[in-house]
Amino acid sequence: ISMGIIRNRLIQRILFWFEQICYQSSCKVVALSEGMIKELKKKQVPSKKLVLVPNACDFREFELAAKAGEPDPFAEYRETPDTKICVYAGTLGLVNNIDYLINLGEQFRCQGLNTRIVIIGKGSQEQRIKKKIEESALQNHVHILDPVPKRQLIPFINAADACISTVQDVPALYNNSANKFFDALAAGRPIVINHGGWQADVITENELGIVLTSDVAKSAQGLDSFLRRNNKADLEQKIKQFARNHYARDLLFNRLLNDALLPCVERAEANHN
């Protein structure tokens, strides 16, 4: 509705009604971000019902892949040892604003910056994006690869200099809890986004990456500068430590179990008795 896709007023009212029924009928409502919690409170969902459990970081899989010592999957795209690779791994859909990545790549070329973008995925916008890359002659600055299973994707993320997550400039999307964000943290890679919201706050406050803006020229220069002024090993250690303290799988599972699942079981048992 916020993106203007569902415009029929009657259907909108039905969907908002159904949304409220779901909240009212729930024992607990598990939100994936602080932004979602705030929106749910605006919708009059009682605070006692709300439980914050964001996506988790899978450190073990990333560490095993790193120990395997696989060759750099981006070697063919690194024109020099100093070439930086930013990877976007996800859907190429309307929500994802892949055009922003194309514009970013164009600025890398125009400004003579030695940074490249690799997109891994498929989606409804794929053919249009490929055509735009070709028409803009950006084949040396923006590359698109077919999607691979998660286990095979991990070496790509480990080898990247930064991971990018983008969405359209629609405030309703800022509360998303993208897997790309948590995979980057698990690999100790800087996370780069182009929107506001809770992820932007986490990145900025803890210096885990960079938040880009609608000024793509400045954003391209800022991203390239960020990647070159930070020591990769030190930044990796800092990011992983933050992720372990806040997004470790066991930590979040215990929160889900103790704050959401067990209270619902106890309530069901009490109602039964």
Side-chain angles (χ1 to χ4, degrees):
I1 292 172
S2 296
M3 292 185 67
I5 296 173
I6 299 176
R7 299 173 184 244
N8 185 288
R9 294 293 180 86
L10 176 60
I11 295 177
Q12 288 181 4
R13 286 199 294 270
I14 291 172
L15 290 173
F16 283 128
W17 168 82
F18 180 69
E19 179 187 19
Q20 288 300 324
I21 291 296
C22 289
Y23 299 147
Q24 292 169 13
S25 304
S26 300
C27 169
K28 293 287 183 179
V29 179
V30 179
L32 302 182
S33 73
E34 286 283 2
M36 292 182 188
I37 292 282
K38 292 177 181 177
E39 289 300 316
L40 288 166
K41 287 180 177 179
K42 290 179 184 177
K43 295 176 184 291
Q44 308 302 312
V45 180
S47 296
K48 64 181 181 181
K49 271 194 176 188
L50 300 176
V51 180
L52 173 63
V53 184
N55 292 3
C57 291
D58 190 345
F59 300 104
R60 183 174 180 274
E61 292 294 332
F62 283 90
E63 289 170 354
L64 287 175
K67 289 178 181 177
E70 297 187 30
D72 183 0
F74 301 124
E76 63 181 296
Y77 307 127
R78 296 189 193 272
E79 298 177 8
T80 72
D82 197 38
T83 301
K84 303 298 183 183
I85 300 292
C86 298
V87 65
Y88 171 95
T91 305
L92 312 186
L94 182 63
V95 167
N96 308 104
N97 197 7
I98 306 302
D99 288 276
Y100 188 93
L101 299 178
I102 306 305
N103 296 336
L104 202 60
E106 192 166 21
Q107 286 300 318
F108 289 149
R109 181 185 64 183
C110 292
Q111 298 182 39
L113 303 174
N114 194 13
T115 298
R116 305 291 181 262
I117 295 175
V118 176
I119 299 170
I120 305 174
K122 284 186 175 294
S124 62
Q125 303 295 303
E126 179 185 359
Q127 294 307 316
R128 185 184 65 79
I129 291 299
K130 285 183 176 179
K131 184 178 180 181
K132 188 172 181 179
I133 291 173
E134 185 177 349
E135 290 175 346
S136 303
L138 288 172
Q139 294 92 331
N140 292 331
H141 291 77
V142 182
H143 309 275
I144 295 187
L145 307 181
D146 288 334
V148 295
K150 178 64 177 287
R151 193 175 292 270
Q152 295 176 30
L153 177 64
I154 288 175
F156 287 88
I157 297 175
N158 277 339
D161 294 287
C163 297
I164 299 183
S165 179
T166 54
V167 296
Q168 296 284 357
D169 188 16
V170 178
L173 301 176
Y174 297 173
N175 295 327
N176 78 90
S177 187
N179 284 328
K180 293 182 281 294
F181 179 87
F182 297 93
D183 287 344
L185 296 182
R189 295 295 171 261
I191 180 68
V192 181
I193 65 173
N194 72 330
H195 57 84
W198 74 275
Q199 291 175 79
D201 294 339
V202 170
I203 291 170
T204 302
E205 291 169 8
N206 300 282
E207 300 178 331
L208 305 176
I210 184 170
V211 179
L212 309 181
T213 69
S214 57
D215 188 334
V216 185
K218 277 189 176 180
S219 292
Q221 191 175 46
L223 174 53
D224 183 82
S225 175
F226 174 87
L227 294 175
R228 296 181 193 286
R229 72 172 179 265
N230 283 283
N231 179 278
K232 188 173 182 178
D234 291 344
L235 191 56
E236 177 179 342
Q237 184 177 5
K238 177 181 179 179
I239 292 171
K240 282 185 176 180
Q241 188 57 52
F242 176 85
R244 289 185 187 282
N245 291 341
H246 294 84
Y247 303 120
R249 177 177 289 174
D250 290 348
L251 174 72
L252 297 178
F253 174 76
N254 287 331
R255 187 187 304 174
L256 175 67
L257 178 66
N258 296 321
D259 295 349
L261 301 181
L262 290 180
C264 289
V265 171
E266 292 169 358
R267 175 179 165 181
E269 289 177 346
N271 290 339
H272 178 71
N273 293 334

